[in-house]
Amino acid sequence: MRAPEPPRTTTVPRPAAPPRSPYPRPRTTPVRRPTGSRRTRRRWLKGCLVAVVVLCFGPRALNGCMSALDSSLDAGRNPTADPTGPSCPSRIAKKLPGADGEATLVRAYRTSNKQITLCRTDDDRLYYYGEFIGRPSTGLAMEAEQTDDGYVARNRPYRYTIHDGEVVITRDGSTIGREKLTPEPSPS
């Protein structure tokens, strides 16, 4: 009798591990940039710049559009205005002595806080109308005259002289103010 054979065992080879990729595994969490990164600061600065431009120039652009609209509407309401120029805004023309609510716009200027409008009535009288911007109740009309280099209006003891892109205000011959003028197509 033979000795019993030991049971046969077979070994199953292990599957080989997949080869490692030379590339890193993709991240499953998003990359976070530091809060003070250049990109964030640039976006913030651009946003601030846009806000400053809108706040500084937006009202002026809107006012310019409203001025153009106001003068075109006034010109349409005043068919007897002098054909050589646009109509003086009706709210100003109504305040000019002898204008019967109609006058021709000669010039319009703006300073940092004032609006100056020069209008000529049908009887060929020139008027200087000055007011604080945004406060039409402060308006004052005075007769003016054209000079070789600008305009002069008097409201004793004051004198308003427009020349070389500025208005000079004097009282009894002493200068009390000088402001740069910005020409405008028409006051609002």
Side-chain angles (χ1 to χ4, degrees):
M1 241 188 116
R2 285 176 132 182
E5 279 188 37
R8 282 187 167 182
T9 58
T10 57
T11 56
V12 177
R14 283 185 159 181
R20 291 188 128 230
S21 170
Y23 304 106
R25 287 187 1 198
R27 294 180 65 131
T28 57
T29 58
V31 175
R32 292 185 181 221
R33 297 196 186 277
T35 56
S37 72
R38 284 185 181 177
R39 181 177 285 168
T40 303
R41 278 181 279 174
R42 271 192 222 135
R43 284 183 185 160
W44 185 82
L45 286 173
K46 284 180 185 177
C48 287
L49 181 62
V50 168
V52 167
V53 168
V54 168
L55 289 174
C56 289
F57 297 109
R60 286 187 179 187
L62 181 61
N63 193 21
C65 292
M66 294 303 290
S67 294
L69 181 60
D70 183 41
S71 66
S72 66
L73 290 174
D74 282 340
R77 280 188 234 128
N78 189 359
T80 61
D82 186 344
T84 61
S87 295
C88 186
S90 58
R91 70 175 183 84
I92 294 174
K94 289 176 187 174
K95 296 178 183 179
L96 303 179
D100 296 327
E102 297 179 7
T104 302
L105 179 67
V106 175
R107 298 264 187 215
Y109 300 102
R110 190 175 275 265
T111 69
S112 61
N113 64 346
K114 293 175 195 74
Q115 175 70 49
I116 299 169
T117 308
L118 294 161
C119 294
R120 189 173 306 280
T121 59
D122 289 339
D123 60 354
D124 205 34
R125 293 170 67 188
L126 182 64
Y127 285 93
Y128 174 112
Y129 186 82
E131 64 187 339
F132 285 97
I133 294 173
R135 296 180 16 213
S137 62
T138 62
L140 178 66
M142 59 194 93
E143 203 159 352
E145 63 185 69
Q146 188 166 0
T147 63
D148 291 337
D149 61 348
Y151 302 92
V152 174
R154 292 175 185 84
N155 182 25
R156 302 225 188 272
Y158 299 98
R159 177 181 166 140
Y160 304 85
T161 306
I162 295 175
H163 67 90
D164 294 332
E166 65 181 6
V167 60
V168 178
I169 302 113
T170 57
R171 180 178 182 184
D172 292 325
S174 298
T175 301
I176 60 170
R178 181 181 301 262
E179 296 182 71
K180 291 282 184 196
L181 293 173
T182 303
E184 279 201 335
S186 177
S188 55

